[in-house]
Amino acid sequence: MITEVVNTKELHKIDPVFGQLSFDNHEQIVFCNDKDTGLKAIIGIHNTVLGPALGGTRMWNYASEWDALNDVLRLSRGMTFKSAITGLNLGGGKAVIIGDAKTEKTPELMLRFGEFVHSLSGKYITAEDVGMETKDMDLVRTVTPFVTGISEEKGGAGNPSPITAYGVFMGMKAAAKYKFGTDVLEDRVVYVQGIGNVGESLVENLSDEGAKVYISDINQERLEEVRDKYNVEIYGGRNLYTEEMDIYAPCALGATVNDTTVNQINAKIIAGAANNQLADEQKHGMMLRERGIVYAPDFLINAGGIINVYAELEDYGRQEIIRKTENIYNTTLEILSKAEEKGITTHQAALEIAESRIEARKSRK
Ligand code: NAD
């Protein structure tokens, strides 16, 4: 019996799973525990109407189990819509391992995790996410076939980040076509926030096209490395959001469009790789719309990575990966126009297309 509610912030936590704020009719949540290896993981299967639930495994030192649960619920839901809008026959899933990937990830723990994935008989297929590397997936592959993102030497499609970046670049070009009437990015001012695996490849695409690129990151060494390689400028100011720019590309963390930044953003377009860029999908999506800022939905334009790993399941090659990734351009244009016609946010327009694909498959079943 619940005898005490500590504060209102805790209220939503009264119901352990189905009552969570991020719970959205997920099909199955699997809690995995192994005393010997110290594994504590949660696998979230949001929806399998279109196919097996595919999504990466994130290892993170969560402040609490609630945070881990909410993360897996939110991320697995996002995967459902990402695959649906991209036209892949995949459902949405994700896994989180609670712990510090730098100090607590051992081969034994990863193998045990792989066994849990295997126990779901292919309903969930894992891949890489934050805290994971291709070599971890290679290890998981030794205990289950239900894993993607394995190395090219082992027959996989390798690092998905350059493809993710290329898809973001396509989405950005489509947004430019919509906003400026041309998709040529030469001389356009673009701020790339976060120049990790995806951000760096995006910088490469942009500088090849002649865009005027500014980069920002919390890692100074990396900033200098990328600046010297691509002849781009390091942003030296205090508040990137207020700078006048054509395109803001969030490629670090999610929720950078939030109550504080939404009215500061001085860009004409937002198009980047980070997941869950809008802190509040409806509210902030609408505020951007009212300010005339074109937002290219994150889950649509950052789908290159999943297209890349899907190749391992469907056995298609590089050419098809590129073709599907380039199609992000057409889908983005379609969604931006649909949002305008219906007077809704671009995020909502993308969600509606994804949901209708799932509903159509459900009624055919
Ligand atoms: P990464 O870890 O390689 O790079 C992230 C970069 O952001 C790092 O250089 C980090 O120093 C920087 N960073 C962190 N906090 C920052 C801050 N406050 N301000 C500026 N920079 C900051 O990650 P990645 O693989 O390049 O992914 C980038 C984003 O794209 C993530 O949100 C990820 O979830 C998303 N994403 C990645 C892929 C993929 O294929 N890798 C696919 C889909 C979505």
Side-chain angles (χ1 to χ4, degrees):
M1 196 177 83
I2 296 163
T3 52
E4 189 188 9
V5 174
V6 181
N7 63 39
T8 49
K9 214 175 141 211
E10 302 293 312
L11 273 173
H12 69 277
K13 296 174 178 172
I14 288 172
D15 291 321
V17 179
F18 303 128
Q20 287 295 296
L21 276 186
S22 310
F23 182 78
D24 180 36
N25 287 309
H26 290 66
E27 288 177 16
Q28 198 175 353
I29 318 288
V30 184
F31 294 86
C32 316
N33 179 57
D34 183 65
K35 184 168 168 276
D36 295 342
T37 59
L39 174 74
K40 284 206 174 350
I42 314 174
I43 299 173
I45 298 177
H46 177 250
N47 189 291
T48 56
V49 172
L50 295 176
L54 193 148
T57 296
R58 175 172 294 189
M59 186 161 184
W60 192 255
N61 213 353
Y62 291 99
S64 72
E65 288 175 18
W66 295 112
D67 288 355
L69 177 61
N70 266 304
D71 210 24
V72 81
L73 290 172
R74 216 170 38 88
L75 291 166
S76 56
R77 172 181 179 269
M79 292 309 294
T80 297
F81 299 124
K82 186 181 300 205
S83 287
I85 193 113
T86 312
L88 309 180
N89 288 321
L90 290 174
K94 202 92 181 182
V96 297
I97 298 177
I98 300 170
D100 185 336
K102 287 204 181 81
T103 56
E104 293 174 73
K105 188 170 65 179
T106 61
E108 294 74 23
L109 179 138
M110 287 311 301
L111 288 171
R112 191 69 189 100
F113 174 71
E115 286 168 4
F116 277 108
V117 170
H118 193 67
S119 73
L120 294 167
S121 310
K123 192 171 180 186
Y124 168 67
I125 301 173
T126 198
E128 241 178 279
D129 194 70
V130 178
M132 289 291 139
E133 294 170 46
T134 310
K135 66 177 181 358
D136 298 314
M137 295 304 114
D138 286 349
L139 196 58
V140 170
R141 181 67 186 84
T142 62
V143 291
T144 181
F146 306 123
V147 51
T148 55
I150 51 179
S151 60
E152 285 172 288
E153 305 89 82
K154 299 246 156 55
N159 178 11
S161 301
I163 296 291
T164 302
Y166 188 54
V168 171
F169 184 58
M170 288 294 116
M172 209 178 247
K173 274 179 153 299
K177 175 83 184 161
Y178 181 82
K179 182 77 180 172
F180 308 127
T182 168
D183 62 15
V184 177
L185 298 178
E186 193 179 359
D187 294 332
R188 291 278 171 211
V189 175
V190 186
Y191 278 63
V192 180
Q193 181 186 43
I195 40 148
N197 292 315
V198 181
E200 178 179 348
S201 290
L202 181 62
V203 167
E204 185 177 4
N205 285 305
L206 287 165
S207 56
D208 284 352
E209 176 125 344
K212 181 139 190 42
V213 182
Y214 291 86
I215 53 175
S216 82
D217 202 291
I218 48 172
N219 182 337
Q220 188 60 30
E221 225 174 276
R222 191 130 180 88
L223 278 172
E224 285 161 19
E225 198 186 304
V226 171
R227 176 198 56 198
D228 296 346
K229 219 160 142 188
Y230 304 102
N231 196 21
V232 294
E233 273 188 53
I234 296 175
Y235 173 61
R238 283 169 170 269
N239 188 356
L240 174 150
Y241 303 102
T242 59
E243 299 296 332
E244 190 175 349
M245 64 186 88
D246 292 303
I247 305 173
Y248 161 49
C251 296
L253 308 172
T256 56
V257 181
N258 52 45
D259 283 342
T260 310
T261 61
V262 70
N263 282 322
Q264 298 181 340
I265 293 172
N266 198 0
K268 299 179 182 74
I269 290 171
I270 301 178
N275 283 310
N276 304 317
Q277 289 166 26
L278 306 178
D280 182 320
E281 291 171 5
Q282 191 50 35
K283 176 173 136 190
H284 298 129
M286 196 43 92
M287 288 169 86
L288 291 177
R289 189 186 141 74
E290 281 159 5
R291 296 194 54 219
I293 299 172
V294 173
Y295 169 67
D298 48 10
F299 68 91
L300 162 66
I301 71 168
N302 72 13
I306 192 137
I307 291 171
N308 199 61
V309 295
Y310 189 54
E312 292 177 23
L313 301 176
E314 292 288 299
D315 210 18
Y316 56 72
R318 187 82 191 159
Q319 246 182 331
E320 184 58 12
I321 293 176
I322 299 291
R323 192 196 67 74
K324 279 187 158 55
T325 306
E326 286 180 342
N327 197 41
I328 289 176
Y329 181 100
N330 299 325
T331 318
T332 306
L333 267 183
E334 186 193 331
I335 276 154
L336 299 181
S337 308
K338 181 182 150 129
E340 189 56 49
E341 275 160 32
K342 297 186 77 176
I344 56 176
T345 68
T346 54
H347 188 91
Q348 187 59 31
L351 264 190
E352 283 183 10
I353 294 184
E355 278 167 348
S356 67
R357 191 168 166 246
I358 296 168
E359 281 310 309
R361 180 72 60 86
K362 221 160 136 184
S363 50
R364 277 213 307 275
K365 269 186 175 175

